[in-house]
Amino acid sequence: MHYIWWIVWLILLVWIFILPYNIPFQKSQKDSPLDILKKRYARGEISKDEYEEARKTLNSDR
């Protein structure tokens, strides 16, 4: 009976710590530079002029 509890705890720990990293359809890609730029503008880290200039630069690289 003692071994069964160890197996239950092991399964529980695997379920909590390992399985969340392998969830299908989970966003695993990093943000694109344009996404990062949009987030910085939304947080107020950069001005509208800086945003527009950086956006034009990023779009011209494509």
Side-chain angles (χ1 to χ4, degrees):
M1 188 70 177
H2 182 70
Y3 293 112
I4 293 174
W5 283 111
W6 280 107
I7 293 171
V8 169
W9 280 110
L10 183 64
I11 291 171
L12 183 65
L13 290 174
V14 167
W15 182 53
I16 291 173
F17 292 108
I18 295 175
L19 289 181
Y21 295 107
N22 297 324
I23 296 174
F25 308 111
Q26 183 180 10
K27 184 179 178 183
S28 60
Q29 297 178 351
K30 293 185 178 183
D31 292 336
S32 70
L34 190 56
D35 291 335
I36 294 169
L37 182 65
K38 288 177 183 178
K39 288 178 184 178
R40 287 187 64 202
Y41 178 62
R43 287 192 298 254
E45 294 178 6
I46 57 175
S47 68
K48 184 175 182 177
D49 294 331
E50 291 171 322
Y51 170 77
E52 292 294 330
E53 183 179 334
R55 186 179 58 82
K56 287 178 187 176
T57 302
L58 289 172
N59 285 335
S60 67
D61 289 341
R62 290 182 182 187

